[in-house]
Amino acid sequence: MSDAPLPSSFDGDEDFFEESRWQKFSRRLKEEPLIPLGCGLTCWALLGASRSIRAGTREQTNKMFRARIYAQGFTILAMVAGSYYYAEPRQRRKKFEGSLAEKKADEKKQAWIRELEARDVEDREIKARRDAARKRAAAATAATAATAAAVAATATPAEQAVPPTQDGDEDGQQTDQSVLRAVKELSGNG
């Protein structure tokens, strides 16, 4: 005969093993009903002893204290017998809870890794956009410098020596005459 435990219909059902505190309490009551019965008998004996002390009946008090001792002995015996009887299912449950805790920790770790990878991808995209914007700004600056150099190359030596004059119009805006002249020369109207 094999010492292996018999298969259960709940072995593959994880919801059966994941239980709340109330479910665990009710399951334990169903598994070991003698322990709560022994606790109840002990409380009943103590209550009877306190009533008999108040009533002043010594014989009843002694009977109730003996009943309390028997009830406590019964409770301890039920606990020891239950621990031997339910040792294997408890070990299986602890093993399952340990593997479940490992699984949840691994899922949490994987979720954290996915989050870090997503942040890394996002940081790379931001850096790429920033680099592209810097390159566009550098190209625009270079184009502006090239345009300014072309304007300076087409200006006559007399225009280069004369400082620009600024005329104000009616709205108070200022116009740079040398830039205006350079634009006219480039467009061929000058």
Side-chain angles (χ1 to χ4, degrees):
M1 192 172 232
S2 174
D3 290 337
L6 295 174
S8 172
S9 61
F10 295 107
D11 284 345
D13 188 9
E14 294 180 6
D15 292 333
F16 176 74
F17 291 104
E18 290 188 50
E19 57 191 2
S20 67
R21 290 179 189 238
W22 178 250
Q23 290 171 335
K24 183 176 181 178
F25 180 73
S26 62
R27 178 183 54 82
R28 294 296 296 262
L29 282 177
K30 291 175 187 174
E31 284 180 357
E32 300 183 53
L34 297 178
I35 293 174
L37 177 68
C39 291
L41 289 173
T42 303
C43 290
W44 173 75
L46 283 173
L47 182 65
S50 67
R51 285 184 181 170
S52 64
I53 288 173
R54 286 187 193 148
T57 55
R58 287 187 177 169
E59 292 122 22
Q60 184 65 21
T61 302
N62 285 335
K63 284 182 187 178
M64 295 311 284
F65 277 132
R66 286 187 194 115
R68 178 192 58 88
I69 291 171
Y70 297 142
Q72 283 180 331
F74 173 76
T75 305
I76 291 172
L77 182 65
M79 287 171 38
V80 170
S83 69
Y84 282 119
Y85 184 76
Y86 290 108
E88 186 177 330
R90 285 184 183 144
Q91 288 175 349
R92 282 192 321 217
R93 178 171 290 281
K94 283 183 181 180
K95 184 178 178 182
F96 176 77
E97 288 173 354
S99 66
L100 185 65
E102 288 176 14
K103 181 180 174 184
K104 286 183 179 181
D106 189 44
E107 288 175 359
K108 187 176 180 181
K109 181 181 175 184
Q110 292 301 322
W112 177 248
I113 289 173
R114 284 192 302 272
E115 175 69 23
L116 289 177
E117 289 172 349
R119 287 183 183 183
D120 189 39
V121 167
E122 186 177 291
D123 286 344
R124 285 187 205 144
E125 290 173 356
I126 291 171
K127 187 176 181 182
R129 284 190 300 236
R130 193 179 314 136
D131 290 343
R134 285 181 183 157
K135 287 179 182 178
R136 283 193 306 268
T141 304
T144 304
T147 304
V151 169
T154 59
T156 62
E159 291 175 337
Q160 291 176 356
V162 176
T165 60
Q166 296 181 351
D167 297 331
D169 60 357
E170 299 166 2
D171 297 327
Q173 296 177 348
Q174 305 257 336
T175 307
D176 190 352
Q177 294 297 321
S178 65
V179 173
L180 185 60
R181 267 185 270 146
V183 170
K184 285 181 182 179
E185 287 176 10
L186 284 174
S187 64
N189 292 336

